[in-house]
Amino acid sequence: MAVGIVLSTWLITQSLQDIKAMERTVQVKGLAEQEVIADTVIWPVFYKDADNDLEALVARVEEKNAAIRAFLTLHGFDEQEMSQATPSIVDKFAQEYGQNERGFRYIAKAGVTVFSHHPDKVKQALGKLSTLAKQGIAITQDDYQNRIEYMFTGLNDIKPKMVQEATQKAREVALKFAKDSDSKLGKIKSARQGQFSISDRDSNTPQIKTVRVVTSVEYYLSD
């Protein structure tokens, strides 16, 4: 009986030591980054006009919209890529403020929105906007609401490779930690994939995107 008690105690002690050893873990993160080119673009080709004669203003807006559509067609955009916005016309005299300000009574904002999967065509057309300026159409580009928006929609195609790369980098960090602490790297206890983020590489090239993902992995350590 005494031998049995001693043996049982030894087995329990060994089990507790093994459990304690398995509880030793290290948490690491791995980062994967990739630069991609935007594959979709939204380009609001908008302008403003003003007049005291509402009928004349509406007629001029229709002419300018037609000119913009002709310009876009000339630069390779088809009808499916263009959508004409409903003109927004403000009557300054109908407002409770600013009635005594000088200027035209009616102010119109109108234009065409381009939605295309060919950002290169937008780049080429932007360089020819002077053609519209010569026709009396000043395209507003500095307005935040009318800024060009570039997007990347091929995330699902690069996800697996980026997750694999982030996980490998996390393992490299864990291996170095294990080596520095005179330990051996065990199996994965838990892993968590972070959210993918897509951002402009810089403010000057919004068509170039940076895709990032961070993977968090927890490994067991043993002596």
Side-chain angles (χ1 to χ4, degrees), residues 34-36 150 152 198-201 206-211:
Q34 183 174 337
E35 283 191 2
V36 296
Y150 293 93
F152 175 71
I198 303 176
S199 58
D200 296 345
R201 187 188 66 177
Q207 69 274 18
I208 302 177
K209 305 293 184 180
T210 299
V211 183

Side-chain angles (χ1 to χ4, degrees), residues 74-213:
L74 182 64
H75 287 85
F77 297 98
D78 55 42
E79 288 295 325
Q80 288 70 33
E81 295 176 295
M82 294 182 277
S83 60
Q84 188 166 307
T86 302
S88 172
I89 300 178
V90 176
D91 183 355
K92 292 173 63 177
F93 287 7
Q95 298 177 346
E96 296 180 358
Y97 57 89
Q99 295 183 14
N100 297 324
E101 293 181 359
R102 293 182 178 181
F104 294 106
R105 174 177 177 176
Y106 300 104
I107 300 176
K109 180 179 179 181
V112 178
T113 298
V114 173
F115 181 89
S116 175
H117 295 296
H118 302 281
D120 55 319
K121 292 195 298 186
V122 172
K123 182 179 180 180
Q124 294 175 1
L126 283 170
K128 302 295 184 179
L129 282 180
S130 58
T131 304
L132 291 175
K134 292 177 181 178
Q135 300 178 54
I137 307 173
I139 302 301
T140 56
Q141 299 185 71
D142 296 333
D143 190 344
Y144 179 80
Q145 294 179 345
N146 295 325
R147 66 185 181 90
I148 302 175
E149 183 178 359
Y150 293 93
M151 297 174 292
F152 175 71
T153 61
L155 182 59
N156 288 336
D157 296 331
I158 63 175
K159 264 186 176 182
K161 183 178 179 180
M162 290 191 66
V163 170
Q164 180 182 5
E165 181 183 348
T167 304
Q168 288 176 346
K169 289 184 176 180
R171 181 173 177 80
E172 291 173 2
V173 175
L175 284 169
K176 186 176 187 311
F177 180 89
K179 181 180 178 180
D180 294 342
S181 60
D182 293 327
S183 302
K184 293 182 180 179
L185 195 64
K187 295 181 179 180
I188 294 177
K189 180 180 179 181
S190 63
R192 185 175 68 256
Q193 176 192 314
Q195 290 186 342
F196 278 83
S197 65
I198 303 176
S199 58
D200 296 345
R201 187 188 66 177
D202 55 72
S203 59
N204 296 320
T205 54
Q207 69 274 18
I208 302 177
K209 305 293 184 180
T210 299
V211 183
R212 293 166 49 97
V213 65

Side-chain angles (χ1 to χ4, degrees), residues 40-98:
T40 304
V41 60
I42 299 176
W43 178 25
V45 191
F46 276 63
Y47 62 92
K48 290 182 179 180
D49 204 342
D51 204 309
N52 288 321
D53 187 328
L54 180 58
E55 185 176 347
L57 178 60
V58 171
R60 198 160 59 247
V61 165
E62 292 177 351
E63 292 176 359
K64 289 185 176 182
N65 284 345
I68 291 175
R69 297 180 76 90
F71 169 82
L72 294 173
T73 301
L74 182 64
H75 287 85
F77 297 98
D78 55 42
E79 288 295 325
Q80 288 70 33
E81 295 176 295
M82 294 182 277
S83 60
Q84 188 166 307
T86 302
S88 172
I89 300 178
V90 176
D91 183 355
K92 292 173 63 177
F93 287 7
Q95 298 177 346
E96 296 180 358
Y97 57 89

